[in-house]
Amino acid sequence: MIPRSQRLALWCLALLLTLSLYMKGRTPAEKGGGAAFSNFTGRGITVRVTGKVRYPGVYRLPEGAVAGAAIKMTLPGVGGTSSVRGPDTRRLASGDVVCVTKDANGNALISITKMTAKERMLLKIPLHPDLLDEAEWSLLPGIGAALSRRIVADRQENGAFGSVEGLLRVPGIGEGKLAVIRKFF
C-alpha cells in the first residue's frame, strides 16, 4: 500500500498535468499556421473536385474561394493561370462541382456544375426549392411522385417559391410535412 503522503503527491501531480493540458487547449492558436492545421471557423463552402486531378474529392474551403484555389490544392504543377482555361476566378458556392480536364497541349480546362440534390442532402448542403426538379423532390421524405409533380406544376404556374415556406401554397403540403423537410433547406 502506498503511504498517504505519496498518494497526495501523485494526486497533485496528476491535477497539475491535467490543468496544464486543459489550459493549453484554451489558449488561442498562433495566426498563420500551416494549411494542414488551419483553424476551422465553422463557416465555409463545400465543393467537389473531379477530373484529371491528383486528389479528387469533397473539400471544405473558406467562403469566397475561387475555382483556381480548389484546383491548386488538387493539381500540383499548375503554376499560374496561364496553363488554366475556364472560370478559374469565379467564386464558388456550396454544392459546386469543379471538373478539371486537360486539352491536347496539357492545359487544364475547368468546368463548374452543381451537385445533385442527393449528394447535397448527404453533405448537409441546403437545397433551394426553386432549383429542384421532379425527381429530386421525390427524394425528400414524405414527398412521393404525385406530390413532386404538383410542386413542379405549381412552381411553373405560380412562379418561384422564394423559400421553403412558399411550399405551403401547394395542395398536400401542410405544416407537418413542411416541418419534416425543412432541415434540408
Side-chain angles (χ1 to χ4, degrees):
M1 180 165 243
I2 299 175
R4 187 174 188 174
S5 61
Q6 287 181 346
R7 281 189 303 198
L8 181 62
L10 284 174
W11 185 84
C12 288
L13 183 62
L15 180 65
L16 182 65
L17 196 71
T18 303
L19 282 176
S20 67
L21 290 174
Y22 176 75
M23 292 308 291
K24 182 174 177 133
R26 292 289 190 171
T27 58
E30 292 182 22
K31 300 266 183 199
F37 302 103
S38 64
N39 294 332
F40 179 67
T41 62
R43 292 177 302 201
I45 58 171
T46 304
V47 298
R48 183 166 41 94
V49 180
T50 63
K52 300 280 186 183
V53 293
R54 182 174 285 176
Y55 305 108
V58 177
Y59 288 88
R60 184 92 172 147
L61 302 173
E63 288 179 2
V66 295
I71 345 180
K72 287 178 185 172
M73 289 175 30
T74 60
L75 187 64
V78 175
T81 57
S82 62
S83 62
V84 175
R85 291 192 196 145
D88 67 325
T89 58
R90 178 179 167 239
R91 290 178 65 153
L92 296 173
S94 276
D96 282 345
V97 177
V98 180
C99 183
V100 181
T101 56
K102 290 193 176 185
D103 64 8
N105 297 329
N107 294 327
L109 301 173
I110 304 168
S111 63
I112 299 174
T113 57
K114 289 286 186 191
M115 292 179 188
T116 63
K118 189 174 191 177
E119 188 174 10
R120 291 171 68 98
M121 287 172 22
L122 288 171
L123 293 172
K124 298 188 181 192
I125 299 171
L127 300 173
H128 195 284
D130 296 331
L131 302 177
L132 298 177
D133 62 20
E134 190 175 317
E136 292 172 330
W137 276 111
S138 64
L139 294 172
L140 293 167
I143 309 278
L147 186 53
S148 64
R149 277 192 296 277
R150 272 186 288 187
I151 292 170
V152 172
D154 183 275
R155 186 176 64 207
Q156 289 171 350
E157 291 172 16
N158 301 318
F161 295 113
S163 68
V164 72
E165 284 77 21
L167 292 171
L168 290 172
R169 72 182 191 207
V170 178
I173 295 184
E175 290 293 337
K177 194 164 292 222
L178 188 64
V180 170
I181 65 170
R182 186 180 311 244
K183 66 181 177 183
F184 298 105
F185 293 89

